[in-house]
Amino acid sequence: MSSERYNAPVAEKHWQSVWDAKGIFKTGTDTSKPKCYVLEMFPYPSGRIHMGHVRNYTMGDTLARYKKAKGFNVLHPMGWDAFGMPAENAAMQNNSHPAKWTYANISAMKAQLKAMGLSIDWDREIATCDPSYYVHQQRMFLDMYAKGLAYRRKSKVNWDPVDNTVLANEQVIDGKGWRSGAEVIQKELDQWAFKITDYSDELLSAIDTLDKWPDKVRLMQANWIGKSEGLMVRWALDAKTAPKGFSELEIFTTRPDTLFGASFMAVAPDHPLAKAASATNTKLADFCDECRKMGTSLAEIETAEKIGMDTGIKAIHPLDPSWQVPVFVANFVLMDYGTGAIFGCPSGDQRDIAFARKYGLPVLPVVVPKDEPARGKALAAIHEGIAYVDDGVMINSKFLDGMNPKQAFDAVASRLEKEKVGGKPVAARKVNYRLRDWGLSRQRYWGCPIPVVHCTACGIVPVPNKHLPVKLPDDATFDMPGNPLDRHPTWKHVDCPKCKAKAVRETDTMDTFVDSSWYFARFTAPNAETPIDKAALDYWMPVDQYIGGIEHAILHLLYSRFYYRAMGATGHGGSANLKEPFGALFTQGMVVHETYRRSGTTNPEWLLPTEVKFEGEGDNRTATEIATGKLAIIGSIEKMSKSKKNLVDPDDIITLYGADAARWFVLSDSPPDRDVIWTEDGVRGVSKFIQRIWRLSEEIADGKGAKAGSAKPASFTPEATALRRQTHKALDSVSRQIEGLRFNVAVAQIYELTNALSSAAAKGGNADPSLAWAIREAGDVLVQCIAPMMPHLAEQSWQRLGHQGLVVEAAWPTAEAALLVDDTVTIAVQVNGKRRDEITMPKTATKEQAEAAALALDSVVRALAGATPKKVIVVPGKIVNVVM
RNA sequence: GCGGACGUGGUGAAAAGGUAGACACACGGGACUUAAAAUCCCGAGGCCGCAAGGCCGUGCGGGUUCAAGUCCCGCCGUCCGCACCA
């Protein structure tokens, strides 16, 4: 018997070249087959792949390979999210060009991905920085512009002072830029935006159809869109106090039921009424200025005190003309939500009650709990400055008294809808959304140019189709901050396409999230002359399984859902009524690792995992810095990051243990949606398992099992049948677990089969030909089960087992249904719900037989201690519970 | 503050309301070996016991059920998302 160790790095290169030469992973053209589009979020070409990529792409690859074996026509492409800031920063640092840096990174990372043995159709590779990609994006942009889905607006924007660019709301995290981490400031600029708010309702209601998305993501999107239903109410202003030209103030409220609790109105400092009042009131003008200044940083807004100033203007209560309410300017009222004006009902809103107490405004309870003592408590709390916000019953509210808030809402709405002032109803029902339009202008070079020209005579003029793409100039300079396109000596100077006069190009480029909002559609026909090919799109879309990180729960996934609809609206959609790009979504967890620090330093000096060695275990485990021999500090387990140096380079793992080891590791142990902790011990364990599979293949091939393709025996010994049952159960389970992306459970099933096969093989051979055949069958099934996860080892073992073809081309085996159920079942026996014993019975045993057998058990007799059971519950094949 | 998820051995974890801890890592013992590595076998939730066996056990407290890690109510803790949204 040979006993050569499996040499993963050598075998892996070999099989990759075999697959390549045969073009195994080219996307099939037989569109009569059922399709399966498996997609992982494409990477940003940062330079090297990291373990997060390995995990993400291994999951997708496992599913893709499985589906291929199941007979699906599989689309499994890969590309590069290639525009973006880091390339430009690198260019600045190295006095180089972003394209050079990007393409070098792409080629390095592509080699790494190839070394992973991914079943990717590289013929469909896309790089978003390639003009052949972004030309289509420019076309679609112009079509969206023509339809009003892309527009230019002057607006307050989030300005990142480090990256020198604008950020979308979604890209501001805790008041800081998502990329630079710098405090974001507010700035007023002319900006391009996508009219995503046209789809607010559609994007929200369609979340219900995304039943294969994680609930968490669906909820996050719903909250982000933030629908609220309320009433727009026009309040007349007292003419004696109102500025000229202002006769009313319109507010939005979700609580019109609490109108009788109103004690003040408040408008945003930028509200026209505030501005008009400021014109004759310098104190107020100063106050508004103050508010605007405070509003420069989002972080400040969050902690700022709620302050206001009385304008002296009085508003007349819409339900009681004799009642006047003061109008304040307040720093917490937002100009861009609702109408920029509110009414305050202190007893029902915590912020309003604080405001009212601060400025000595009345607090009238209008909603209270129905019954005592809760009502008394709530009233006392209101007195103490704690608003009552729950359901209850109306009081102090005239015709609403006794109603619940919902009834009161409807009563107020229908009364005010009928009442008219100046020919218009006083109030109208209205739905408001938190979602803002998507500002897409970026003042950077390395992005898709926005294809318009600004002409003093003609205004904004689209670049004609025949002049597309508007390409980036190669000779831009990156030696100073600011937008290289804007300061380029010639690029922006062009003739107006309409009037031929001198004009300038738009120098903003598109947010890179635009690039990634449709790449999945482009993959279905990456060489089409038009942005998409309808037939290809209809066949392949939607993506059947999309896999990526949770960090894109809102940004990328919401943008894509909008953009795909916008494509449809501008003639770039399929003919089928497909609105959602991603049928199923899976968000995978991170790869995390322990951190290590040099001891005796104040600022943490992080150490690489390779710079320390370990002794002891558990609480006594210590780390020593190899270079100095000094004790190092073992820190917490955290996301792998350059700054904390807790990185493991996939290349090192692949070189040392092979791609299969890395792939298997990231799939085993932890559920795929949770974080997985990378450990040296773990990967060594995987390496042992790989050798074990290899040894088993050799044993089977060298006589423990029957020859490949030998005839199935007419009958099997009990031992052989037992192995066959385990084999087919494992096969059935592994199939279901892979389909459900529960890779860790699939892995455990494979271990069990391996253990069973090992012990059977120890007894195998010529003595029992039916066992030899069962061993061979188990070996084949085992290799096929590991093939989606460890494809190289599977290929090598498949060959060793004596098969002619490639395992990657073999059809997924079918489990024999008869072998999935046992002849005998083990039934737990409980007394009063407590497990006492178990009985083994034929599967066909009746309830009565099970009950009789259970009652006859010594352990049951003892537990009963002479008492007669009150009743006996029998769940066939599961459990007998004797209740006394 | 609002919303959500999670909490199981030394560790990662498994478990259509039906035998809790499968499987793996780490650990302990043994076999093989001059020795080590590799490999193979055995053990292992806690407590009591030589053992047979018994009691306890899925963050805490209640509840529903013949039966709860799983469902319901209330706490505690950890993590995540949103955060002046009227």
Side-chain angles (χ1 to χ4, degrees), chain A residues 451-465:
Chain A
V452 302
V453 169
H454 297 278
C455 170
T456 21
C458 313
I460 293 169
V461 183
V463 173
N465 201 34

Side-chain angles (χ1 to χ4, degrees), chain A residues 725 728-729 732 814-822 843:
Chain A
R725 283 192 194 287
H728 285 261
K729 279 182 186 169
D732 178 61
T814 311
E816 287 179 26
L819 290 167
L820 298 181
V821 275
D822 291 312
K843 191 186 68 186

Side-chain angles (χ1 to χ4, degrees), chain A residues 434-717:
Chain A
R434 216 187 69 105
L435 185 67
R436 294 288 111 86
D437 277 338
W438 171 13
L440 67 102
S441 285
R442 295 293 179 272
Q443 290 67 40
R444 305 297 314 196
Y445 167 84
W446 194 231
C448 172
I450 294 174
V452 302
V453 169
H454 297 278
C455 170
T456 21
C458 313
I460 293 169
V461 183
V463 173
N465 201 34
K466 61 177 184 231
H467 291 153
L468 295 181
V470 174
K471 283 196 198 173
L472 292 166
D474 289 334
D475 56 349
T477 55
F478 303 94
D479 49 353
M480 60 179 100
N483 185 351
L485 290 179
D486 201 38
R487 63 164 180 261
H488 190 279
T490 55
W491 183 79
K492 72 173 172 184
H493 301 289
V494 288
D495 293 341
C496 170
K498 227 179 191 171
C499 71
K500 310 295 174 205
K502 294 244 173 285
V504 289
R505 283 190 193 286
E506 172 64 66
T507 57
D508 285 353
T509 51
M510 294 186 208
D511 182 1
T512 58
F513 278 95
V514 182
D515 312 339
S516 56
S517 289
W518 71 286
Y519 77 108
F520 46 85
R522 185 69 186 164
F523 272 141
T524 64
N527 301 311
E529 294 289 314
T530 47
I532 57 102
D533 174 277
K534 277 191 198 306
L537 197 78
D538 283 345
Y539 176 69
W540 287 113
M541 290 297 284
V543 174
D544 293 280
Q545 184 65 61
Y546 197 34
I547 307 176
I550 185 74
E551 67 273 19
H552 291 108
I554 292 171
L555 289 164
H556 163 59
L557 291 165
L558 188 62
Y559 290 153
S560 297
R561 295 181 61 218
F562 155 71
Y563 199 90
Y564 196 53
R565 286 170 166 81
M567 284 170 73
T570 50
H572 300 295
S575 52
N577 187 25
L578 298 172
K579 293 194 165 166
E580 290 293 339
F582 310 122
L585 172 72
F586 188 84
T587 53
Q588 105 266 5
M590 295 184 296
V591 182
V592 295
H593 196 286
E594 253 179 357
T595 49
Y596 312 105
R597 269 174 299 155
R598 187 165 289 155
S599 58
T601 55
T602 41
N603 286 333
E605 292 177 28
W606 304 98
L607 297 168
L608 291 166
T610 49
E611 290 177 319
V612 289
K613 61 177 184 192
F614 305 97
E615 266 159 53
E617 68 208 42
D619 291 345
N620 299 319
R621 188 159 155 272
T622 57
T624 315
E625 187 179 351
I626 295 165
T628 62
K630 281 194 202 154
L631 225 53
I633 299 165
I634 300 178
S636 56
I637 295 169
E638 294 185 47
K639 177 181 181 172
M640 287 190 182
S641 73
K642 257 183 211 162
S643 61
K644 296 201 172 154
K645 290 195 176 178
N646 58 339
L647 289 168
V648 174
D649 189 334
D651 266 3
D652 294 347
I653 302 302
I654 291 172
T655 312
L656 208 54
Y657 302 100
D660 284 340
R663 293 171 60 118
W664 187 259
F665 186 103
V666 294
L667 293 179
S668 29
D669 284 348
S670 285
D673 51 346
R674 269 191 238 173
D675 291 350
V676 64
I677 304 169
W678 185 274
T679 62
E680 274 296 305
D681 282 335
V683 75
R684 270 198 298 271
V686 171
S687 188
K688 282 184 197 173
F689 178 66
I690 288 173
Q691 296 302 335
R692 194 168 165 218
I693 295 281
W694 176 242
R695 277 197 312 275
L696 259 176
S697 312
E698 294 202 307
E699 278 181 48
I700 294 166
D702 291 344
K704 295 292 189 183
K707 287 270 166 284
S710 42
K712 187 177 178 181
S715 66
F716 290 91
T717 58

